[in-house]
Amino acid sequence: MAKKAKKQQQSGGTPATVALTAAGVDHTVHSYDHDPSHTSYGEEAAEATGVPPDRVFKTLVADVDGTLTVAVVPVAGSLDLKALASAVGGKRAAMADPALAERTTGYVRGGISPLGQRKKLPTVLDASATRHTTIYVSAGRRGLEVELSPQDLAKLTDAVLAPVGRA
């Protein structure tokens, strides 16, 4: 898997793929042609890669008691804001303003990766990720996914594992 990722990084890569390569993490980059008319970036990624939606995870940015926090949940479900707040010791969570999320992470909506963000944010990975050997997350732009172990993702992002996704 790492050979493919190295090729991606040499051709410029994204901050996410560069971070993975620098950390020596085994991963595979998958690209597809993004359809701007698709209504869900995550569902599009699952369809385009042929991977079940419970194995493809979306990166969402929320405001938990005034602190931007990243939630990584399966595209097949939604984020439980109350559970997210609880997972990081907060009381209240709401989705962050999209423009603020983009400025803070350095990525555009639909391409926000939990890896290689401009500013490292507290991160919570849905506990369901551990049911899979590998999962897919955004590699830092629309039409680009990275496959890696959930354990490596949690380690690189200092993520808390908690049940924050809802079916």
Side-chain angles (χ1 to χ4, degrees):
M1 280 198 297
K3 190 173 188 179
K4 213 176 202 183
K6 189 168 179 74
K7 185 177 178 187
Q8 175 71 27
Q9 195 257 338
Q10 288 172 341
S11 65
T14 66
T17 60
V18 170
L20 285 165
T21 302
V25 171
D26 195 23
H27 65 284
T28 304
V29 176
H30 301 273
S31 65
Y32 60 92
D33 292 325
H34 166 61
D35 176 2
S37 69
H38 206 290
T39 56
S40 167
Y41 299 116
E43 288 174 10
E44 177 189 22
E47 290 167 11
T49 57
V51 175
D54 67 330
R55 227 177 113 207
V56 178
F57 284 65
K58 56 189 169 186
T59 306
L60 303 171
V61 181
D63 180 318
V64 179
D65 298 335
T67 300
L68 288 182
T69 304
V70 172
V72 185
V73 297
V75 302
S78 60
L79 172 61
D80 181 335
L81 289 166
K82 196 171 189 173
L84 175 64
S86 177
V88 294
K91 294 182 187 222
R92 199 170 147 287
M95 293 307 297
D97 172 68
L100 179 59
E102 289 179 343
R103 276 194 314 275
T104 305
T105 64
Y107 294 117
V108 298
R109 275 187 325 149
I112 294 178
S113 177
L115 300 157
Q117 295 179 358
R118 184 177 288 151
K119 179 181 179 191
K120 191 167 186 166
L121 300 173
T123 301
V124 180
L125 175 59
D126 186 66
S128 70
T130 60
R131 291 191 291 235
H132 307 285
T133 305
T134 61
I135 60 172
Y136 288 60
V137 296
S138 175
R141 74 170 188 254
R142 296 171 188 156
L144 197 65
E145 295 287 307
V146 64
E147 178 184 4
L148 74 164
S149 79
Q151 293 80 11
D152 283 339
L153 178 62
K155 183 178 176 185
L156 287 174
T157 59
D158 295 323
V160 171
L161 283 170
V164 294
R166 284 193 286 223

